[in-house]
Amino acid sequence: MPFDYKKEYKEFYLPPRKPGIVTVPAMSFLAVRGKGDPNEEDGAYRQSIGLLYAVAFTVKMSKLGGHRLEGYFDYVVPPLEGLWRQEGVQGVDVTRKAEFQWISLIRLPEFVTPEVFDWAIREATEKKGQDFSQVELLRWEEGLCVQCMHIGPYDEEPATVAAMDEYAAANGYAPDFGPDRLHHEIYLSDVRRCRPERLKTVVRHPIRRLP
């Protein structure tokens, strides 16, 4: 059976609907950075998703080609993730989507080294005939966070965030946003095939323990 990160690391991908505290270790990602409303048709955000999946599946399907990757194991491509920020906002304001600055992410398996990443970019470029120069290899350690499973439309996330803030404060933690400490979403549903009220999204915020 292919290795499935969602099933093997449920504490990061399948949290309960009640908030909880988690410490997230360093992981490697494919990443594309951009700005603007993610709902814009054919906009930069949607283009970034296409770029990420093209490279992600180039790595996964390398098993069918002649280029053998050292340490390769078969796996399920992890879900799309997103880091979001806006100038002057702690967390995000979903009513001001045009001001979003985002990083789209897909987690990579541990065998993807910088050399493997470079190969995947070259391979995707040759096969797809696209420019993948926006895609980067990102090593990121998220650290101490509060998180919760959000069920429903993205625009209803503020209620989930409020519950997370309340839980964190009651347990002696405070928000800890910064340049590398951002509003984080993990998308477990395909928005094209799922009704808005049934969307499943992991929402995660950085925190610090109060003295």
Side-chain angles (χ1 to χ4, degrees), residues 18-133:
K18 294 183 178 180
I21 306 299
V22 65
T23 299
V24 186
M27 303 177 188
S28 293
F29 297 87
L30 295 171
V32 176
R33 302 171 189 264
K35 300 179 180 180
D37 188 339
N39 296 323
E40 182 182 350
E41 188 172 353
D42 296 324
Y45 178 75
R46 297 193 181 185
Q47 292 175 20
S48 76
I49 295 173
L51 294 173
L52 288 176
Y53 275 110
V55 179
F57 276 95
T58 296
V59 175
K60 174 179 169 57
M61 303 310 294
S62 64
K63 62 182 180 180
L64 301 180
H67 188 85
R68 299 296 182 219
L69 303 180
E70 184 177 352
Y72 179 92
F73 56 85
D74 197 14
Y75 65 100
V76 178
V77 172
L80 179 71
E81 307 185 32
L83 302 176
W84 302 86
R85 67 180 298 269
Q86 293 155 313
E87 293 295 338
V89 177
Q90 181 170 268
V92 295
D93 180 348
V94 297
T95 68
R96 295 159 51 187
K97 294 181 176 64
E99 299 174 19
F100 275 136
Q101 299 177 36
W102 41 261
I103 307 175
S104 296
L105 304 165
I106 293 179
R107 184 177 179 177
L108 289 168
E110 292 72 16
F111 64 80
V112 178
T113 62
E115 291 74 23
V116 169
F117 170 78
D118 290 343
W119 168 83
I121 294 295
R122 293 195 303 270
E123 185 78 358
T125 300
E126 181 178 337
K127 289 190 174 182
K128 301 289 186 180
Q130 291 179 253
D131 179 7
F132 290 93
S133 60

Side-chain angles (χ1 to χ4, degrees), residues 113-184:
T113 62
E115 291 74 23
V116 169
F117 170 78
D118 290 343
W119 168 83
I121 294 295
R122 293 195 303 270
E123 185 78 358
T125 300
E126 181 178 337
K127 289 190 174 182
K128 301 289 186 180
Q130 291 179 253
D131 179 7
F132 290 93
S133 60
Q134 293 182 65
V135 183
E136 63 182 272
L137 177 62
L138 176 66
R139 184 73 174 171
W140 180 49
E141 183 172 357
E142 196 166 11
L144 187 64
C145 296
V146 59
Q147 68 178 11
C148 189
M149 181 70 77
H150 171 75
I151 307 294
Y154 303 129
D155 284 353
E156 294 180 3
E157 284 183 13
T160 296
V161 169
M164 289 164 50
D165 288 344
E166 182 179 351
Y167 177 85
N171 286 274
Y173 297 93
D176 189 34
F177 291 97
D180 297 315
R181 306 273 283 158
L182 304 171
H183 176 92
H184 186 180

Side-chain angles (χ1 to χ4, degrees), residues 188-205:
L188 302 179
S189 305
D190 186 338
V191 70
R192 300 168 299 178
R193 298 179 174 89
C194 185
R195 296 199 303 271
E197 65 270 19
R198 301 188 67 178
L199 289 171
K200 293 183 178 181
T201 309
V202 180
V203 179
R204 188 181 293 159
H205 276 186

